[in-house]
Amino acid sequence: MTQTGDILIIGSGAAGLTAALNLADRFTVTVLAKGALHEGSTAWAQGGIAAVLEPGDTFESHIEDTMIAGAGLNDRNIVEFVIENAPAAIHRLEELGVPFAKEEGALHLTREGGHSHRRIVHVADATGWAVQEALQRAAEAHPNITLVPNQVAIDLATSRHEQRYSGAGHVWGVYAVDKDSGSVGLFTARATILATGGAGRTYLFSTAPRGATGDGIAMAWRAGCRVSNMEMMQFHPTCLYNLDVKNFLITEAVRGEGGRLINPTTGARFMEFYDPERMELAPRDVVARAIDAEIKRYGLDYVHLDISHMPADFVKGHFPNIHEKLIGLGIDMTTGPIPVVPAQHYTCGGVVIDSDGRTDLPGLYAAGECTESGLHGANRLASNSLLECFVFGEAAAKSIVARWDELPAPPPIRAWDESRVTDSDEEVVIQQTWTEIRRFMWNYVGIVRTTKRLERAAHRIKLLHDEVAEYYGHFRVTPDLIELRNLLQTADLIVRSALHRHESRGLHYTLDYPDTLPDAIDTVLIP
């Protein structure tokens, strides 16, 4: 089965739907979702969107906060570009009906770690869900947008898949397996946009949704794109510690509104020992390492995040969804502390793009968490993630419109060939390998690293690569097999990048190179 259209977008979150809505008035747009349309990372975002919206704040201040959090590895031109376009992005979301919280008629702004001002617009503690709902509603109503759920992308269709090979290195679309039927289809287009999200599920503990297996990064790498700064994996300091409920994030805004980190053994706040000036409002990498250090030093399972000193109505009003979720687990955040641990949260590195969202390959664009745009550097500043999706989703769309005449129609592409494979009778191999990858990545390539641990991870990846390649070559693809292949490829890119960086900077902290070098240089891997 082959489906064609003007534009193909892989991913139905903030970046993908923003691009679609900016293109659909002129072109036909097909949007592929890996599962249901709302299952990506966007809907999981609790915090908000950073933008300069009040007189006491400035673009320069937001830029400096972003550069400081990113440990100087950011591209300042990109930082300026994104931040200066932030207010307009918020305005467009309001026009789409996103019900941002207001106070006395004005947008209510909260503050999060690393920010020098209150500049986070939000919808209580469920901003991502509200944004996803508004974007999806608008996309579903547009006659030129076709939304196709349950399509798991396998590989980009490039010039090597042409029936008559041109050698041009162009991207013409994607092969994807339909979760419902199990059949593989080909989707072609004059321009393809990757908006596939991050690679959080490479780690044992992550706040990312189940589908965050680095698909776009792995596919782009295999097709010939550079990737950059994959060692910069952000760990959110405060994920709920609960053996029954996994991956529930406690938003940074809890600390922004007065939440304190407490050592449950000593009963004392501990951030004063790690960042006495900023305390709980230090950037995420600092807070995550502090919590990790306390846990290891005292043999703890978790630390406490306590906002119970604030009025109960204030807490429930600002964090209604978190409060309700915790009450269901027997935790009342208005009267006592929340047990929290760090967990992988955001992929700061990814596919190299320019300010127009263009990758190294003609016909291929990318936006959002699967990219390395230069915005985040060595550590993402809180609430800059959704912002990046909106700005680059629109930038990619504008670039496609401007260059439309340079984008040729797809040539005939070979159909997916399953003539030499069979159905697998050893599904347990996939689950075993998946678990093994996530565990050694957590233990060896986590918050604090050493060269020896990284080399152990690299050795395991090399062994597993041969096993997975053999399995992939003999059996029909399934969603689980596709994800495993991408998970292993992404893990390899993370470890290789980490071994290349002989310093500690931002999210990459290694005991063998504890100092930060004078010059901030990107880690760029070339296929």
Side-chain angles (χ1 to χ4, degrees), residues 414-445:
R414 294 194 305 271
W416 188 256
D417 182 7
E418 291 188 331
S419 62
R420 291 171 290 179
V421 295
T422 62
D423 290 328
S424 171
D425 58 357
E426 296 179 310
E427 290 291 323
V428 68
V429 173
I430 295 176
Q431 299 305 320
Q432 165 62 29
T433 307
W434 176 296
T435 302
E436 186 175 352
I437 293 169
R438 296 180 68 205
R439 187 167 293 280
F440 73 64
M441 287 297 289
W442 181 260
N443 290 332
Y444 295 158
V445 200

PDB file of all heavy atoms in Angstrom, residues 414-445:
ATOM      1  N   ARG A 414      10.313   1.566  -4.240  1.00  0.00           N
ATOM      2  CA  ARG A 414      10.064   0.137  -4.075  1.00  0.00           C
ATOM      3  C   ARG A 414       9.135  -0.133  -2.894  1.00  0.00           C
ATOM      4  O   ARG A 414       9.267   0.507  -1.835  1.00  0.00           O
ATOM      5  CB  ARG A 414      11.370  -0.619  -3.857  1.00  0.00           C
ATOM      6  CG  ARG A 414      12.307  -0.613  -5.054  1.00  0.00           C
ATOM      7  CD  ARG A 414      13.407  -1.660  -4.897  1.00  0.00           C
ATOM      8  NE  ARG A 414      14.146  -1.498  -3.665  1.00  0.00           N
ATOM      9  CZ  ARG A 414      15.224  -0.726  -3.523  1.00  0.00           C
ATOM     10  NH1 ARG A 414      15.659  -0.021  -4.551  1.00  0.00           N
ATOM     11  NH2 ARG A 414      15.863  -0.657  -2.363  1.00  0.00           N
ATOM     12  N   ALA A 415       8.247  -1.085  -3.053  1.00  0.00           N
ATOM     13  CA  ALA A 415       7.386  -1.503  -1.953  1.00  0.00           C
ATOM     14  C   ALA A 415       8.206  -2.276  -0.924  1.00  0.00           C
ATOM     15  O   ALA A 415       9.303  -2.785  -1.214  1.00  0.00           O
ATOM     16  CB  ALA A 415       6.240  -2.363  -2.485  1.00  0.00           C
ATOM     17  N   TRP A 416       7.693  -2.367   0.283  1.00  0.00           N
ATOM     18  CA  TRP A 416       8.337  -3.128   1.350  1.00  0.00           C
ATOM     19  C   TRP A 416       8.377  -4.600   0.969  1.00  0.00           C
ATOM     20  O   TRP A 416       7.375  -5.178   0.523  1.00  0.00           O
ATOM     21  CB  TRP A 416       7.566  -2.937   2.649  1.00  0.00           C
ATOM     22  CG  TRP A 416       8.242  -3.518   3.860  1.00  0.00           C
ATOM     23  CD1 TRP A 416       7.908  -4.669   4.503  1.00  0.00           C
ATOM     24  CD2 TRP A 416       9.339  -2.967   4.577  1.00  0.00           C
ATOM     25  NE1 TRP A 416       8.732  -4.885   5.584  1.00  0.00           N
ATOM     26  CE2 TRP A 416       9.619  -3.838   5.649  1.00  0.00           C
ATOM     27  CE3 TRP A 416      10.108  -1.815   4.413  1.00  0.00           C
ATOM     28  CZ2 TRP A 416      10.642  -3.596   6.559  1.00  0.00           C
ATOM     29  CZ3 TRP A 416      11.133  -1.576   5.316  1.00  0.00           C
ATOM     30  CH2 TRP A 416      11.385  -2.452   6.369  1.00  0.00           C
ATOM     31  N   ASP A 417       9.533  -5.239   1.133  1.00  0.00           N
ATOM     32  CA  ASP A 417       9.727  -6.626   0.698  1.00  0.00           C
ATOM     33  C   ASP A 417       9.810  -7.550   1.908  1.00  0.00           C
ATOM     34  O   ASP A 417      10.734  -7.451   2.716  1.00  0.00           O
ATOM     35  CB  ASP A 417      11.011  -6.727  -0.130  1.00  0.00           C
ATOM     36  CG  ASP A 417      11.250  -8.136  -0.662  1.00  0.00           C
ATOM     37  OD1 ASP A 417      10.358  -8.992  -0.508  1.00  0.00           O
ATOM     38  OD2 ASP A 417      12.340  -8.381  -1.223  1.00  0.00           O
ATOM     39  N   GLU A 418       8.836  -8.451   2.042  1.00  0.00           N
ATOM     40  CA  GLU A 418       8.839  -9.427   3.137  1.00  0.00           C
ATOM     41  C   GLU A 418       8.971 -10.858   2.609  1.00  0.00           C
ATOM     42  O   GLU A 418       8.609 -11.815   3.291  1.00  0.00           O
ATOM     43  CB  GLU A 418       7.551  -9.306   3.961  1.00  0.00           C
ATOM     44  CG  GLU A 418       7.464  -8.012   4.764  1.00  0.00           C
ATOM     45  CD  GLU A 418       6.274  -8.004   5.709  1.00  0.00           C
ATOM     46  OE1 GLU A 418       5.260  -8.663   5.385  1.00  0.00           O
ATOM     47  OE2 GLU A 418       6.349  -7.356   6.764  1.00  0.00           O
ATOM     48  N   SER A 419       9.499 -10.991   1.400  1.00  0.00           N
ATOM     49  CA  SER A 419       9.534 -12.303   0.752  1.00  0.00           C
ATOM     50  C   SER A 419      10.537 -13.256   1.398  1.00  0.00           C
ATOM     51  O   SER A 419      10.430 -14.477   1.212  1.00  0.00           O
ATOM     52  CB  SER A 419       9.860 -12.136  -0.737  1.00  0.00           C
ATOM     53  OG  SER A 419      11.152 -11.543  -0.904  1.00  0.00           O
ATOM     54  N   ARG A 420      11.492 -12.725   2.163  1.00  0.00           N
ATOM     55  CA  ARG A 420      12.537 -13.599   2.719  1.00  0.00           C
ATOM     56  C   ARG A 420      12.532 -13.645   4.245  1.00  0.00           C
ATOM     57  O   ARG A 420      13.536 -14.002   4.857  1.00  0.00           O
ATOM     58  CB  ARG A 420      13.900 -13.138   2.217  1.00  0.00           C
ATOM     59  CG  ARG A 420      14.109 -13.378   0.718  1.00  0.00           C
ATOM     60  CD  ARG A 420      15.372 -12.717   0.215  1.00  0.00           C
ATOM     61  NE  ARG A 420      15.250 -11.254   0.211  1.00  0.00           N
ATOM     62  CZ  ARG A 420      16.226 -10.436  -0.160  1.00  0.00           C
ATOM     63  NH1 ARG A 420      17.400 -10.931  -0.527  1.00  0.00           N
ATOM     64  NH2 ARG A 420      16.035  -9.137  -0.152  1.00  0.00           N
ATOM     65  N   VAL A 421      11.418 -13.268   4.852  1.00  0.00           N
ATOM     66  CA  VAL A 421      11.327 -13.309   6.314  1.00  0.00           C
ATOM     67  C   VAL A 421      10.094 -14.097   6.732  1.00  0.00           C
ATOM     68  O   VAL A 421       9.189 -14.347   5.935  1.00  0.00           O
ATOM     69  CB  VAL A 421      11.250 -11.883   6.914  1.00  0.00           C
ATOM     70  CG1 VAL A 421      12.540 -11.126   6.655  1.00  0.00           C
ATOM     71  CG2 VAL A 421      10.052 -11.126   6.356  1.00  0.00           C
ATOM     72  N   THR A 422      10.070 -14.494   8.000  1.00  0.00           N
ATOM     73  CA  THR A 422       8.949 -15.256   8.550  1.00  0.00           C
ATOM     74  C   THR A 422       8.476 -14.579   9.832  1.00  0.00           C
ATOM     75  O   THR A 422       9.112 -13.660  10.350  1.00  0.00           O
ATOM     76  CB  THR A 422       9.371 -16.699   8.868  1.00  0.00           C
ATOM     77  OG1 THR A 422      10.406 -16.671   9.861  1.00  0.00           O
ATOM     78  CG2 THR A 422       9.884 -17.412   7.626  1.00  0.00           C
ATOM     79  N   ASP A 423       7.367 -15.066  10.377  1.00  0.00           N
ATOM     80  CA  ASP A 423       6.899 -14.577  11.668  1.00  0.00           C
ATOM     81  C   ASP A 423       7.813 -15.092  12.770  1.00  0.00           C
ATOM     82  O   ASP A 423       8.260 -16.251  12.736  1.00  0.00           O
ATOM     83  CB  ASP A 423       5.469 -15.042  11.934  1.00  0.00           C
ATOM     84  CG  ASP A 423       4.458 -14.350  11.032  1.00  0.00           C
ATOM     85  OD1 ASP A 423       4.713 -13.187  10.688  1.00  0.00           O
ATOM     86  OD2 ASP A 423       3.450 -14.977  10.676  1.00  0.00           O
ATOM     87  N   SER A 424       8.069 -14.254  13.741  1.00  0.00           N
ATOM     88  CA  SER A 424       8.944 -14.633  14.842  1.00  0.00           C
ATOM     89  C   SER A 424       8.246 -15.612  15.777  1.00  0.00           C
ATOM     90  O   SER A 424       7.048 -15.495  16.032  1.00  0.00           O
ATOM     91  CB  SER A 424       9.360 -13.397  15.640  1.00  0.00           C
ATOM     92  OG  SER A 424      10.035 -13.786  16.814  1.00  0.00           O
ATOM     93  N   ASP A 425       9.004 -16.569  16.279  1.00  0.00           N
ATOM     94  CA  ASP A 425       8.483 -17.476  17.305  1.00  0.00           C
ATOM     95  C   ASP A 425       9.257 -17.295  18.614  1.00  0.00           C
ATOM     96  O   ASP A 425       9.221 -18.134  19.500  1.00  0.00           O
ATOM     97  CB  ASP A 425       8.574 -18.942  16.844  1.00  0.00           C
ATOM     98  CG  ASP A 425      10.004 -19.362  16.496  1.00  0.00           C
ATOM     99  OD1 ASP A 425      10.911 -18.492  16.559  1.00  0.00           O
ATOM    100  OD2 ASP A 425      10.220 -20.542  16.163  1.00  0.00           O
ATOM    101  N   GLU A 426       9.980 -16.162  18.718  1.00  0.00           N
ATOM    102  CA  GLU A 426      10.820 -15.920  19.901  1.00  0.00           C
ATOM    103  C   GLU A 426      10.660 -14.479  20.388  1.00  0.00           C
ATOM    104  O   GLU A 426      11.630 -13.750  20.558  1.00  0.00           O
ATOM    105  CB  GLU A 426      12.293 -16.183  19.571  1.00  0.00           C
ATOM    106  CG  GLU A 426      12.597 -17.617  19.204  1.00  0.00           C
ATOM    107  CD  GLU A 426      14.075 -17.806  18.875  1.00  0.00           C
ATOM    108  OE1 GLU A 426      14.603 -17.021  18.062  1.00  0.00           O
ATOM    109  OE2 GLU A 426      14.683 -18.722  19.442  1.00  0.00           O
ATOM    110  N   GLU A 427       9.419 -14.055  20.607  1.00  0.00           N
ATOM    111  CA  GLU A 427       9.167 -12.688  21.057  1.00  0.00           C
ATOM    112  C   GLU A 427       9.861 -12.356  22.372  1.00  0.00           C
ATOM    113  O   GLU A 427      10.123 -11.187  22.684  1.00  0.00           O
ATOM    114  CB  GLU A 427       7.663 -12.448  21.183  1.00  0.00           C
ATOM    115  CG  GLU A 427       6.919 -12.397  19.853  1.00  0.00           C
ATOM    116  CD  GLU A 427       7.265 -11.159  19.040  1.00  0.00           C
ATOM    117  OE1 GLU A 427       7.460 -10.089  19.635  1.00  0.00           O
ATOM    118  OE2 GLU A 427       7.339 -11.277  17.796  1.00  0.00           O
ATOM    119  N   VAL A 428      10.146 -13.378  23.171  1.00  0.00           N
ATOM    120  CA  VAL A 428      10.790 -13.145  24.470  1.00  0.00           C
ATOM    121  C   VAL A 428      12.156 -12.490  24.297  1.00  0.00           C
ATOM    122  O   VAL A 428      12.638 -11.767  25.176  1.00  0.00           O
ATOM    123  CB  VAL A 428      10.908 -14.466  25.257  1.00  0.00           C
ATOM    124  CG1 VAL A 428      11.907 -15.423  24.584  1.00  0.00           C
ATOM    125  CG2 VAL A 428      11.336 -14.202  26.698  1.00  0.00           C
ATOM    126  N   VAL A 429      12.797 -12.718  23.148  1.00  0.00           N
ATOM    127  CA  VAL A 429      14.107 -12.126  22.884  1.00  0.00           C
ATOM    128  C   VAL A 429      13.997 -10.603  22.892  1.00  0.00           C
ATOM    129  O   VAL A 429      14.867  -9.893  23.414  1.00  0.00           O
ATOM    130  CB  VAL A 429      14.656 -12.618  21.525  1.00  0.00           C
ATOM    131  CG1 VAL A 429      15.935 -11.866  21.166  1.00  0.00           C
ATOM    132  CG2 VAL A 429      14.903 -14.114  21.573  1.00  0.00           C
ATOM    133  N   ILE A 430      12.916 -10.077  22.314  1.00  0.00           N
ATOM    134  CA  ILE A 430      12.732  -8.634  22.249  1.00  0.00           C
ATOM    135  C   ILE A 430      12.587  -8.055  23.647  1.00  0.00           C
ATOM    136  O   ILE A 430      13.244  -7.066  24.007  1.00  0.00           O
ATOM    137  CB  ILE A 430      11.499  -8.285  21.393  1.00  0.00           C
ATOM    138  CG1 ILE A 430      11.737  -8.722  19.944  1.00  0.00           C
ATOM    139  CG2 ILE A 430      11.198  -6.787  21.477  1.00  0.00           C
ATOM    140  CD1 ILE A 430      10.542  -8.508  19.035  1.00  0.00           C
ATOM    141  N   GLN A 431      11.743  -8.651  24.465  1.00  0.00           N
ATOM    142  CA  GLN A 431      11.519  -8.135  25.815  1.00  0.00           C
ATOM    143  C   GLN A 431      12.780  -8.216  26.669  1.00  0.00           C
ATOM    144  O   GLN A 431      13.092  -7.292  27.432  1.00  0.00           O
ATOM    145  CB  GLN A 431      10.378  -8.909  26.482  1.00  0.00           C
ATOM    146  CG  GLN A 431       9.048  -8.780  25.756  1.00  0.00           C
ATOM    147  CD  GLN A 431       8.627  -7.324  25.573  1.00  0.00           C
ATOM    148  OE1 GLN A 431       8.805  -6.502  26.466  1.00  0.00           O
ATOM    149  NE2 GLN A 431       8.056  -7.007  24.420  1.00  0.00           N
ATOM    150  N   GLN A 432      13.521  -9.322  26.542  1.00  0.00           N
ATOM    151  CA  GLN A 432      14.743  -9.491  27.317  1.00  0.00           C
ATOM    152  C   GLN A 432      15.781  -8.428  26.939  1.00  0.00           C
ATOM    153  O   GLN A 432      16.401  -7.795  27.806  1.00  0.00           O
ATOM    154  CB  GLN A 432      15.334 -10.888  27.069  1.00  0.00           C
ATOM    155  CG  GLN A 432      16.773 -11.095  27.526  1.00  0.00           C
ATOM    156  CD  GLN A 432      16.953 -10.927  29.018  1.00  0.00           C
ATOM    157  OE1 GLN A 432      16.017 -11.183  29.783  1.00  0.00           O
ATOM    158  NE2 GLN A 432      18.141 -10.519  29.451  1.00  0.00           N
ATOM    159  N   THR A 433      15.952  -8.200  25.636  1.00  0.00           N
ATOM    160  CA  THR A 433      16.954  -7.240  25.177  1.00  0.00           C
ATOM    161  C   THR A 433      16.544  -5.814  25.543  1.00  0.00           C
ATOM    162  O   THR A 433      17.382  -5.002  25.946  1.00  0.00           O
ATOM    163  CB  THR A 433      17.149  -7.370  23.656  1.00  0.00           C
ATOM    164  OG1 THR A 433      17.421  -8.735  23.333  1.00  0.00           O
ATOM    165  CG2 THR A 433      18.301  -6.513  23.185  1.00  0.00           C
ATOM    166  N   TRP A 434      15.265  -5.513  25.400  1.00  0.00           N
ATOM    167  CA  TRP A 434      14.748  -4.186  25.768  1.00  0.00           C
ATOM    168  C   TRP A 434      15.085  -3.885  27.231  1.00  0.00           C
ATOM    169  O   TRP A 434      15.621  -2.825  27.563  1.00  0.00           O
ATOM    170  CB  TRP A 434      13.240  -4.173  25.538  1.00  0.00           C
ATOM    171  CG  TRP A 434      12.516  -2.914  25.954  1.00  0.00           C
ATOM    172  CD1 TRP A 434      12.408  -2.415  27.227  1.00  0.00           C
ATOM    173  CD2 TRP A 434      11.819  -2.005  25.121  1.00  0.00           C
ATOM    174  NE1 TRP A 434      11.662  -1.258  27.226  1.00  0.00           N
ATOM    175  CE2 TRP A 434      11.285  -0.981  25.945  1.00  0.00           C
ATOM    176  CE3 TRP A 434      11.557  -1.962  23.752  1.00  0.00           C
ATOM    177  CZ2 TRP A 434      10.522   0.069  25.438  1.00  0.00           C
ATOM    178  CZ3 TRP A 434      10.796  -0.911  23.255  1.00  0.00           C
ATOM    179  CH2 TRP A 434      10.300   0.096  24.096  1.00  0.00           C
ATOM    180  N   THR A 435      14.777  -4.829  28.111  1.00  0.00           N
ATOM    181  CA  THR A 435      15.029  -4.642  29.548  1.00  0.00           C
ATOM    182  C   THR A 435      16.510  -4.481  29.832  1.00  0.00           C
ATOM    183  O   THR A 435      16.917  -3.646  30.646  1.00  0.00           O
ATOM    184  CB  THR A 435      14.464  -5.833  30.341  1.00  0.00           C
ATOM    185  OG1 THR A 435      13.059  -5.953  30.080  1.00  0.00           O
ATOM    186  CG2 THR A 435      14.685  -5.648  31.831  1.00  0.00           C
ATOM    187  N   GLU A 436      17.324  -5.271  29.152  1.00  0.00           N
ATOM    188  CA  GLU A 436      18.773  -5.204  29.370  1.00  0.00           C
ATOM    189  C   GLU A 436      19.333  -3.836  28.983  1.00  0.00           C
ATOM    190  O   GLU A 436      20.133  -3.248  29.724  1.00  0.00           O
ATOM    191  CB  GLU A 436      19.468  -6.300  28.561  1.00  0.00           C
ATOM    192  CG  GLU A 436      20.958  -6.382  28.838  1.00  0.00           C
ATOM    193  CD  GLU A 436      21.632  -7.550  28.132  1.00  0.00           C
ATOM    194  OE1 GLU A 436      20.916  -8.393  27.546  1.00  0.00           O
ATOM    195  OE2 GLU A 436      22.877  -7.609  28.166  1.00  0.00           O
ATOM    196  N   ILE A 437      18.904  -3.308  27.837  1.00  0.00           N
ATOM    197  CA  ILE A 437      19.380  -1.995  27.391  1.00  0.00           C
ATOM    198  C   ILE A 437      19.021  -0.926  28.419  1.00  0.00           C
ATOM    199  O   ILE A 437      19.870  -0.131  28.840  1.00  0.00           O
ATOM    200  CB  ILE A 437      18.770  -1.626  26.024  1.00  0.00           C
ATOM    201  CG1 ILE A 437      19.289  -2.549  24.928  1.00  0.00           C
ATOM    202  CG2 ILE A 437      19.095  -0.164  25.673  1.00  0.00           C
ATOM    203  CD1 ILE A 437      18.535  -2.422  23.612  1.00  0.00           C
ATOM    204  N   ARG A 438      17.772  -0.889  28.817  1.00  0.00           N
ATOM    205  CA  ARG A 438      17.314   0.160  29.717  1.00  0.00           C
ATOM    206  C   ARG A 438      18.021   0.091  31.074  1.00  0.00           C
ATOM    207  O   ARG A 438      18.290   1.115  31.696  1.00  0.00           O
ATOM    208  CB  ARG A 438      15.798   0.062  29.899  1.00  0.00           C
ATOM    209  CG  ARG A 438      15.036   0.314  28.616  1.00  0.00           C
ATOM    210  CD  ARG A 438      13.547   0.200  28.832  1.00  0.00           C
ATOM    211  NE  ARG A 438      13.074   1.281  29.669  1.00  0.00           N
ATOM    212  CZ  ARG A 438      11.964   1.209  30.412  1.00  0.00           C
ATOM    213  NH1 ARG A 438      11.245   0.110  30.419  1.00  0.00           N
ATOM    214  NH2 ARG A 438      11.588   2.249  31.130  1.00  0.00           N
ATOM    215  N   ARG A 439      18.329  -1.118  31.520  1.00  0.00           N
ATOM    216  CA  ARG A 439      18.971  -1.252  32.830  1.00  0.00           C
ATOM    217  C   ARG A 439      20.437  -0.821  32.775  1.00  0.00           C
ATOM    218  O   ARG A 439      20.900  -0.075  33.644  1.00  0.00           O
ATOM    219  CB  ARG A 439      18.855  -2.693  33.339  1.00  0.00           C
ATOM    220  CG  ARG A 439      19.343  -2.872  34.768  1.00  0.00           C
ATOM    221  CD  ARG A 439      18.930  -4.215  35.344  1.00  0.00           C
ATOM    222  NE  ARG A 439      17.495  -4.319  35.532  1.00  0.00           N
ATOM    223  CZ  ARG A 439      16.832  -3.811  36.558  1.00  0.00           C
ATOM    224  NH1 ARG A 439      17.471  -3.130  37.489  1.00  0.00           N
ATOM    225  NH2 ARG A 439      15.535  -3.975  36.661  1.00  0.00           N
ATOM    226  N   PHE A 440      21.192  -1.264  31.758  1.00  0.00           N
ATOM    227  CA  PHE A 440      22.603  -0.859  31.752  1.00  0.00           C
ATOM    228  C   PHE A 440      22.751   0.614  31.390  1.00  0.00           C
ATOM    229  O   PHE A 440      23.701   1.267  31.815  1.00  0.00           O
ATOM    230  CB  PHE A 440      23.484  -1.772  30.884  1.00  0.00           C
ATOM    231  CG  PHE A 440      23.366  -1.661  29.395  1.00  0.00           C
ATOM    232  CD1 PHE A 440      23.700  -0.504  28.706  1.00  0.00           C
ATOM    233  CD2 PHE A 440      22.979  -2.768  28.652  1.00  0.00           C
ATOM    234  CE1 PHE A 440      23.619  -0.431  27.327  1.00  0.00           C
ATOM    235  CE2 PHE A 440      22.896  -2.707  27.267  1.00  0.00           C
ATOM    236  CZ  PHE A 440      23.204  -1.536  26.604  1.00  0.00           C
ATOM    237  N   MET A 441      21.806   1.177  30.645  1.00  0.00           N
ATOM    238  CA  MET A 441      21.864   2.622  30.387  1.00  0.00           C
ATOM    239  C   MET A 441      21.633   3.403  31.675  1.00  0.00           C
ATOM    240  O   MET A 441      22.280   4.430  31.911  1.00  0.00           O
ATOM    241  CB  MET A 441      20.831   3.009  29.333  1.00  0.00           C
ATOM    242  CG  MET A 441      21.183   2.577  27.915  1.00  0.00           C
ATOM    243  SD  MET A 441      22.701   3.359  27.274  1.00  0.00           S
ATOM    244  CE  MET A 441      22.132   5.043  27.058  1.00  0.00           C
ATOM    245  N   TRP A 442      20.731   2.921  32.519  1.00  0.00           N
ATOM    246  CA  TRP A 442      20.482   3.599  33.795  1.00  0.00           C
ATOM    247  C   TRP A 442      21.688   3.490  34.719  1.00  0.00           C
ATOM    248  O   TRP A 442      22.108   4.462  35.350  1.00  0.00           O
ATOM    249  CB  TRP A 442      19.250   3.014  34.474  1.00  0.00           C
ATOM    250  CG  TRP A 442      18.925   3.680  35.770  1.00  0.00           C
ATOM    251  CD1 TRP A 442      19.218   3.245  37.029  1.00  0.00           C
ATOM    252  CD2 TRP A 442      18.288   4.955  35.944  1.00  0.00           C
ATOM    253  NE1 TRP A 442      18.795   4.144  37.969  1.00  0.00           N
ATOM    254  CE2 TRP A 442      18.218   5.201  37.338  1.00  0.00           C
ATOM    255  CE3 TRP A 442      17.760   5.889  35.066  1.00  0.00           C
ATOM    256  CZ2 TRP A 442      17.649   6.369  37.862  1.00  0.00           C
ATOM    257  CZ3 TRP A 442      17.190   7.041  35.586  1.00  0.00           C
ATOM    258  CH2 TRP A 442      17.138   7.270  36.967  1.00  0.00           C
ATOM    259  N   ASN A 443      22.283   2.313  34.782  1.00  0.00           N
ATOM    260  CA  ASN A 443      23.389   2.077  35.707  1.00  0.00           C
ATOM    261  C   ASN A 443      24.711   2.667  35.219  1.00  0.00           C
ATOM    262  O   ASN A 443      25.520   3.143  36.021  1.00  0.00           O
ATOM    263  CB  ASN A 443      23.568   0.570  35.942  1.00  0.00           C
ATOM    264  CG  ASN A 443      22.433  -0.028  36.746  1.00  0.00           C
ATOM    265  OD1 ASN A 443      21.798   0.654  37.543  1.00  0.00           O
ATOM    266  ND2 ASN A 443      22.159  -1.305  36.542  1.00  0.00           N
ATOM    267  N   TYR A 444      24.960   2.645  33.923  1.00  0.00           N
ATOM    268  CA  TYR A 444      26.260   3.040  33.391  1.00  0.00           C
ATOM    269  C   TYR A 444      26.275   4.418  32.719  1.00  0.00           C
ATOM    270  O   TYR A 444      27.336   5.032  32.586  1.00  0.00           O
ATOM    271  CB  TYR A 444      26.742   2.011  32.360  1.00  0.00           C
ATOM    272  CG  TYR A 444      27.019   0.632  32.917  1.00  0.00           C
ATOM    273  CD1 TYR A 444      27.007  -0.485  32.087  1.00  0.00           C
ATOM    274  CD2 TYR A 444      27.294   0.433  34.269  1.00  0.00           C
ATOM    275  CE1 TYR A 444      27.268  -1.760  32.575  1.00  0.00           C
ATOM    276  CE2 TYR A 444      27.547  -0.838  34.777  1.00  0.00           C
ATOM    277  CZ  TYR A 444      27.527  -1.923  33.922  1.00  0.00           C
ATOM    278  OH  TYR A 444      27.777  -3.173  34.412  1.00  0.00           O
ATOM    279  N   VAL A 445      25.117   4.907  32.261  1.00  0.00           N
ATOM    280  CA  VAL A 445      25.082   6.137  31.478  1.00  0.00           C
ATOM    281  C   VAL A 445      24.035   7.086  32.073  1.00  0.00           C
ATOM    282  O   VAL A 445      23.296   7.750  31.358  1.00  0.00           O
ATOM    283  CB  VAL A 445      24.778   5.846  29.991  1.00  0.00           C
ATOM    284  CG1 VAL A 445      25.213   7.023  29.104  1.00  0.00           C
ATOM    285  CG2 VAL A 445      25.463   4.577  29.511  1.00  0.00           C
TER     286      VAL A 445
END
